[in-house]
Each structure stands twice: as structure tokens, then as C-alpha cells.
């Protein structure tokens, strides 16, 4: 988001960029030969491909990274944001979608259905607090749950903060002495002390007098080795991720540089920073996925991330842009337990959907609930899902998949490359069973050790829905 001046500047810039893009579009041999922009896009990244996501807010709880995001609708032109999504990972390369974790419907007092902007979730005393800004002076609300997955409820029935039209992008710091602070704002930074209940505050709302250099919006505050850090969408336009440091949670803040440089690919940006198993990671968002399909500009963003490295003096190393290869995998993935099909390091073509399965077929008599499912949809010939670093250990004997067949087809499970050796072929040879879930099993060819796994879909069209998969270990040969 930006001031009127910034918006005018962005529009002017955008016109120049569109002209440039048109020139490229017309002159580039890639566009002439292939008719699309795919050649220009890195082979991997952003980290979520099945939906447009923005404003990443990672949170570590136990051994899992929970990633809350805003959600740009697939047909968004400008901001079209109704709900918030949750993803999780234990290896920082394969992300599993949990689906919608909260929405504007959670707040009775919000007057519109488009304005689910950048959230942050924090845990305190076993409860999870999701701070949700609704722009245009509506305010910042808070939702509470007993689990990071929700369900989240509004304990106040009114905004926690309604201070000005600048009330967006909340971030929370709980200091070592237990004092919690909330920071937010565009184009200035505001902060207030939160009470221990995390749903009320004490004292004045302060407009931070040293709003750090290059600050735009999207603050993210954390502490390391006694030093306070504030990262934020920085410079305009486009925006990268800059940061400032302080010796105190209340400033003054001193600008230290860019963590991720501003570039055409990032445009608006919004940092989320977290430490996980001894390494630090910086999340932001880009338009890379959108650019894969069009040179046009819409508010359809995609969360990306990479490792973030400190210098010995506590300053942060700059990275020009998210690397193509992403961070190192923290631990290999275990295929011998059920893995949700919506667990992926990368995918092409597929989408996801939530649905409740009922016993009955009729609106007026659905019978008992069988299951709430989130599954992979829109599976057509040539689409694929890549799962990184799967540890087959001493080998697998068979693989089982849960699918709901539409026109039917095959899943070729391949090692290391989309056209790598076939590990197994699962034949889904039933049709017209959409809504009915069955498992299919196939024998596994010789495979041991750690491999990237590609689920490559083959068939004519609308093959099936895909819910989960699991390998079974090779049985020791009988003496
Ligand atoms: O996603 C909506 C708004 O755009 C966020 O609140 C800002 O940080 C910017 O990313």
C-alpha cells in the first residue's frame, strides 16, 4: 500500500513498465517461438504454486514452521482478499497446505468482504493470537485459538486497534521480560504495549518518532543476541525488504540496509522472519508466478523465502533476490507415513480444494460426515507435483494413493527428474467416481536412499482428485 503520491508514482512507473514489457513481448524471440513467458521464469520458486499468496507470517511452534499468508484471489485485478491461509513445513522446502485458517467472516464488525490484509500469529501461554488488519480505518482485530490450525474466534467483538487510516500490517514482539509490543503502520510506524492477555493494551499508542529510513509498511520485529530488529517493505517503488536495528524495543531505529533488494519482481513486499533449527529465514513475496502466465500486472502475489545470514556484528547479509534453488532441506521427508498430496516443493498445473465428504447424496439428507478433506484438483495430462528429498532408506515395496477418479488416468512416480526413472505407475482405471474416495496400490521398482520424487499425471483430461500417498517399506527377505 502507498500514499497518494506513491500511487501516482507507481501508476506512472507502471505505464513505463507496460511499454517496456510490450516492447519485450513483441521483440523477444522467446515470446515469438513459445507464445508464453515460461522460459523467463526460474524453474523453482515461489514456494506456493496452487494459490496466490502474500504477506508471509511464519511462526515456529514445536518442530514445525507454520506459515500464515494473505490470499490473493485467482481473478484479482487489484487487491481481492477475503481470507487467510495456512501452510506448514518441517524441512523448509516441502510445504503442506492446511487451507483457509480464518476469514473476514470471523469478525462481525467488519463491513466488507474484501480486506483480509497482512496478519501475524503468535503463541503465548498455549494460546494462538492472530492479529488481523482490515484497511480503510476499519482497524486491527485479534482472533484466538487453542491450536495453530484454529479454529480462531474473535474474543472482543470489536477492533483491538482503531487509531487511524494507517492501521495495517501488525507485528508482535514478546520481549525477554514478558512485555509484548505491537507495531504496525503505513506510512509511519506506530506501537503500543500489549497486556499479557494479548487482546488488550496499556498506555498510549505511540507514533514512532524515528520511523526508519526507507520505511514503507509491513514491519516485522524480532530480537537476537540482545539487539532489536525491524524489517519492513522498503523503498518505493518497487519495494524490497530493508531493516533497521535498535538497542531497545521502542527505538530509536537505525536503517542498516536491504535484506532483499528492491526489484521489478518484488514490487510491493512484506517480510516475515523466523529462526528454525539454528538457521534464520526471510520470507517475502513476488509476482513470479503471475509473470509466468502474463506480462500484465494484477495483485496476484506469491510467497517466497530463503535463508537469511547474519554477519558477526549482527548485521544481515544482503541477497539480491530469492535464489532459484531455495534453502537447504532441513531433514529428508519420510514416505513411509501418509503424506498429504498437497505437500510439495513445486508443482505445475494443479490446484487444491477443501470439501466435506458426507454419507448421503442429497442436500436435504447428507447423513453423517465422513471427512473434511483438502485435496489436489485440476489434474490434467502432464501436470506434476515435485516433493524434494524423500528418504526411501533401504527400499520400498509398494505405494498407495488415495484418489477420487473423474476420467481416470495414471500417476507415474519418477525419481529425481520429471522424466527420471519410474519408481511406480499407479493405474487409476476407474472413471466417474468424483466425490468417492478409493485407494490404489502399485508395486515399487528398486529404489533406495534419498531422491526428489515427481508425481507425473498422465491421461486425457480431468483425471482425478488426489488426497494422499504413502510408500510401504521393502520386507526383509525371508531366510
Ligand atoms: O496485502 C495487502 C497489503 O499489501 C499488505 O497489508 C501490505 O503489507 C502489502 O503487502
Amino acid at each position: 500500500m502507498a500514499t497518494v503520491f506513491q500511487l501516482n508514482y507507481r501508476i506512472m512507473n507502471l505505464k513505463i513498465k507496460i511499454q517496456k514489457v510490450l516492447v519485450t513481448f513483441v521483440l523477444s524471440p522467446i515470446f515469438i517461438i513459445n507464445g508464453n513467458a515460461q522460459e523467463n521464469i526460474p524453474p523453482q520458486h515461489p514456494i506456493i504454486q496452487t494459490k496466490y499468496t502474500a504477506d508471509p507470517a511464519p511462526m515456529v511452534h514445536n518442530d514445525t514452521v507454520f506459515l500464515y499468508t494473505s490470499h490473493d484471489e485467482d481473478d484479482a485485478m487489484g487487491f481481492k482478499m477475503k481470507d487467510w491461509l495456512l501452510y506448514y513445513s518441517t524441512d523448509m522446502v516441502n510445504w503442506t497446505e492446511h487451507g483457509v485458517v480464518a476469514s473476514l467472516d470471523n469478525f462481525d464488525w467488519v463491513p466488507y468482504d474484501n480486506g483480509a490484509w497482512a496478519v501475524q500469529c503468535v503463541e503465548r501461554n498455549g494460546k494462538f493470537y492472530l492479529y488481523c488488519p482490515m484497511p480503510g480505518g476499519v482497524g486491527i482485530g485479534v482472533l484466538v485459538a487453542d491450536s495453530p490450525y484454529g479454529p480462531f474466534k474473535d474474543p472482543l467483538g470489536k477492533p483491538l486497534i482503531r487509531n487511524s487510516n494507517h492501521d495495517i500490517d501488525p507485528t508482535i514482539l514478546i520481549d525477554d521480560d514478558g512485555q509484548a509490543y505491537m507495531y504496525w503502520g503505513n506510512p509511519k510506524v506506530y506501537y503500543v504495549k500489549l497486556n499479557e492477555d494479548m487482546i488488550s493494551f496499556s498506555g498510549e499508542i505511540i507514533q514512532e518518532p524515528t520511523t526508519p529510513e526507507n520505511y514503507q509498511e509491513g514491519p516485522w520485529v524480532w530480537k537476537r543476541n540482545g539487539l532489536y530488529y525491524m524489517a519492513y517493505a522498503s523503498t518505493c517503488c518497487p519495494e524490497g525488504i530493508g531493516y533497521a536495528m535498535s538497542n531497545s524495543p521502542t527505538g530509536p531505529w537505525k536503517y542498516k540496509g536491504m535484506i532483499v533488494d528492491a526489484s521489478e519482481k518484488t514490487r510491493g513486499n512484506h517480510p516475515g522472519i523466523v529462526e528454525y533449527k539454528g538457521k534464520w529465514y526471510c520470507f517475502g513475496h513476488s509476482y513470479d508466478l503471475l509473470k509466468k502466465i502474463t506480462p500484465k500486472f494484477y495483485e496476484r502475489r506469491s510467497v517466497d523465502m530463503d535463508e537469511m545470514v547474519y554477519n558477526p556484528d549482527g548485521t544481515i547479509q544482503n541477497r539480491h533476490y530469492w535464489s532459484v534453488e531455495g534453502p537447504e532441506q532441513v531433514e529428508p521427508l519420510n514416505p513411509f507415513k501418509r503424506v498429504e498430496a498437497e505437500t510439495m516443493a513445486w508443482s505445475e498445473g494443479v490446484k487444491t480444494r477443501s470439501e466435506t465428504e458426507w454419507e448421503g447424496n442429497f442436500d436435504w439428507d447428507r447423513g453423517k460426515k465422513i471427512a473434511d478433506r483438502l485435496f489436489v484438483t485440476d489434474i490434467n495430462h502432464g501436470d506434476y507435483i515435485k516433493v524434494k528429498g524423500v528418504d526411501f532408506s533401504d527400499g520400498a515395496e509398494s505405494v498407495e494413493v488415495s484418489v477420487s477418479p473423474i476420467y481416470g488416468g495414471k500417476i507415474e512416480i519418477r525419481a529425481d527428474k520429471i522424466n527420471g526413472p519410474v519408481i511406480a505407475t499407479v493405474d487409476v482405471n476407474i472413471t466417474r467416481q468424483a466425490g468417492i474416495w478409493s485407494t490404489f496400490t502399485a508395486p515399487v521398482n528398486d529404489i533406495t536412499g534419498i531422491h526428489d520424487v515427481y508425481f507425473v499425471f498422465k491421461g486425457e483430461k480431468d483425471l482425478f482428485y488426489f488426497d494422499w500417498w504413502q510408500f510401504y517399506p521393502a520386507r526383509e527377505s525371508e531366510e
Side-chain angles (χ1 to χ4, degrees):
M1 220 192 61
T3 61
V4 174
F5 169 76
Q6 288 164 346
L7 281 175
N8 283 336
Y9 180 82
R10 280 181 182 185
I11 290 167
M12 194 183 76
N13 243 348
L14 181 60
K15 284 184 183 157
I16 296 169
K17 278 169 216 156
I18 289 172
Q19 278 166 4
K20 280 189 189 159
V21 167
L22 284 176
V23 170
T24 319
F25 187 77
V26 172
L27 296 182
S28 158
I30 288 168
F31 283 101
I32 292 167
I33 293 164
N34 296 325
N36 65 45
Q38 301 215 356
E39 306 284 313
N40 287 340
I41 300 304
Q44 189 160 324
H45 275 211
I47 59 169
I48 312 292
Q49 308 87 38
T50 50
K51 289 191 169 68
Y52 290 107
T53 53
D55 306 324
M59 176 189 76
V60 176
H61 178 62
N62 295 336
D63 64 348
T64 302
V65 181
F66 293 88
L67 175 63
Y68 299 83
T69 74
S70 306
H71 176 197
D72 291 335
E73 297 288 329
D74 283 1
D75 61 351
M77 309 285 277
F79 287 134
K80 189 174 179 190
M81 305 165 72
K82 300 161 186 276
D83 47 30
W84 295 282
L85 305 176
L86 174 59
Y87 297 82
Y88 55 94
S89 176
T90 55
D91 64 14
M92 300 310 266
V93 298
N94 296 303
W95 292 91
T96 305
E97 182 174 344
H98 172 75
V100 173
V101 72
S103 80
L104 293 176
D105 291 342
N106 285 72
F107 298 104
D108 287 342
W109 44 271
V110 171
Y112 46 53
D113 64 0
N114 175 11
W117 283 22
V119 289
Q120 185 176 352
C121 187
V122 293
E123 186 267 340
R124 184 161 204 178
N125 299 330
K127 295 238 180 265
F128 296 82
Y129 299 88
L130 188 68
Y131 296 88
C132 308
M134 273 66 65
V138 173
I140 299 174
V142 57
L143 298 173
V144 186
D146 293 327
S147 144
Y149 301 101
F152 282 96
K153 301 248 163 60
D154 176 7
L156 299 177
K158 61 178 185 169
L160 168 61
I161 301 288
R162 186 183 275 156
N163 184 52
S164 75
N165 275 344
H166 304 165
D167 298 338
I168 62 164
D169 296 350
T171 180
I172 310 293
L173 169 80
I174 304 177
D175 208 345
D176 301 336
D177 61 2
Q179 178 62 59
Y181 299 82
M182 181 161 84
Y183 309 75
W184 71 95
N186 168 332
K188 297 282 177 199
V189 184
Y190 298 80
Y191 71 87
V192 76
K193 286 183 176 176
L194 291 181
N195 296 330
E196 194 169 346
D197 66 9
M198 300 298 273
I199 59 168
S200 62
F201 60 87
S202 294
E204 295 289 297
I205 292 175
I206 313 233
Q207 185 189 311
E208 154 56 37
T210 60
T211 294
E213 220 178 304
N214 293 328
Y215 179 85
Q216 296 292 322
E217 60 183 3
W220 185 273
V221 178
W222 74 103
K223 187 178 186 183
R224 177 182 177 267
N225 294 345
L227 297 171
Y228 297 83
Y229 293 79
M230 183 188 291
Y232 44 86
S234 197
T235 74
C236 182
C237 301
E239 289 161 353
I241 297 176
Y243 76 107
M245 291 174 69
S246 176
N247 291 319
S248 141
T250 55
W253 297 95
K254 192 162 178 348
Y255 175 67
K256 291 288 177 177
M258 298 297 278
I259 303 172
V260 181
D261 287 336
S263 84
E264 283 312 305
K265 298 170 179 173
T266 56
R267 252 178 209 266
N269 218 322
H270 189 116
I273 289 168
V274 81
E275 183 185 16
Y276 182 62
K277 299 200 171 164
K279 286 188 174 175
W280 286 79
Y281 299 88
C282 178
F283 294 69
H285 59 231
S286 75
Y287 292 82
D288 280 352
L289 210 59
L290 174 69
K291 288 187 178 176
K292 219 169 134 61
I293 55 166
T294 178
K296 285 199 165 199
F297 176 75
Y298 305 110
E299 287 295 357
R300 299 179 203 163
R301 298 161 291 177
S302 298
V303 165
D304 213 334
M305 54 86 79
D306 230 313
E307 192 181 339
M308 188 180 88
V309 180
Y310 292 92
N311 295 310
D313 66 356
T315 56
I316 299 170
Q317 288 182 14
N318 167 269
R319 75 164 45 256
H320 179 56
Y321 195 59
W322 316 110
S323 65
V324 172
E325 64 279 7
E328 267 178 36
Q329 187 164 1
V330 170
E331 61 181 19
L333 186 136
N334 176 5
F336 302 117
K337 63 177 181 39
R338 188 178 287 195
V339 180
E340 295 299 325
E342 59 276 8
T343 299
M344 43 188 95
W346 181 251
S347 66
E348 295 236 26
V350 301
K351 306 286 287 178
T352 54
R353 196 169 80 211
S354 305
E355 210 170 80
T356 300
E357 189 187 355
W358 301 92
E359 257 179 7
N361 271 337
F362 303 104
D363 252 3
W364 62 91
D365 184 13
R366 291 215 175 276
K368 280 200 203 122
K369 183 158 107 173
I370 298 176
D372 284 320
R373 296 178 190 267
L374 180 77
F375 49 90
V376 175
T377 65
D378 297 71
I379 303 178
N380 287 292
H381 183 79
D383 293 343
Y384 70 94
I385 293 170
K386 173 185 176 182
V387 182
K388 219 168 164 179
V390 176
D391 187 357
F392 289 97
S393 298
D394 297 335
E397 184 175 272
S398 61
V399 60
E400 185 183 16
V401 302
S402 168
V403 293
S404 173
I406 309 173
Y407 286 91
K410 287 185 188 347
I411 308 179
E412 285 178 2
I413 307 179
R414 293 176 175 268
D416 301 320
K417 285 194 279 187
I418 190 168
N419 55 357
V422 175
I423 303 172
T425 303
V426 186
D427 204 356
V428 180
N429 47 15
I430 300 178
T431 61
R432 295 185 298 117
Q433 300 278 301
I436 298 176
W437 291 90
S438 317
T439 56
F440 291 77
T441 305
V444 169
N445 299 331
D446 210 17
I447 183 139
T448 56
I450 299 178
H451 297 268
D452 294 345
V453 170
Y454 288 76
F455 294 83
V456 186
F457 303 108
K458 296 284 162 83
E460 284 189 15
K461 59 169 183 177
D462 292 336
L463 312 187
F464 33 73
Y465 301 135
F466 185 15
D467 192 13
W468 54 261
W469 54 269
Q470 176 166 3
F471 282 81
Y472 295 91
R475 270 179 291 185
E476 274 174 35
S477 57
E478 283 157 29
E479 298 281 299

